[in-house]
Amino acid sequence: MSNPWTKKNPLMSMWLSAANRTMGSAKGQVAGAAKQQASAIQAEATRQIVDFWSGQTVAKASRRKTRR
């Protein structure tokens, strides 16, 4: 007599496959967003360093539009 606890459950197998596919997709999206945010932060830091060492520490005043 075979042990019923060691048999495959097709419903559980399909459910786990779908869950793994969903989590894999979510993991990819989170990793992509984190990489994009890290590169944006790095670019901003580099811009600030270059502005500081090139003497552009004071922000330029924006020009106001005149009414006609």
Side-chain angles (χ1 to χ4, degrees):
M1 180 174 203
S2 65
N3 187 353
W5 296 106
T6 60
K7 286 187 176 182
K8 275 191 168 181
N9 182 349
L11 182 63
M12 180 68 80
S13 178
M14 289 187 305
W15 189 86
L16 285 173
S17 293
N20 283 334
R21 186 171 39 249
T22 302
M23 293 316 253
S25 175
K27 179 183 173 186
Q29 289 179 351
V30 167
K35 184 176 180 181
Q36 184 179 20
Q37 189 175 14
S39 66
I41 290 170
Q42 182 67 34
E44 177 65 20
T46 302
R47 186 191 64 77
Q48 288 180 2
I49 291 168
V50 168
D51 286 350
F52 176 78
W53 287 107
S54 65
Q56 297 179 1
T57 56
V58 178
K60 296 178 182 176
S62 62
R63 297 178 64 189
R64 296 182 118 188
K65 291 185 178 181
T66 57
R67 290 187 140 179
R68 293 184 185 191

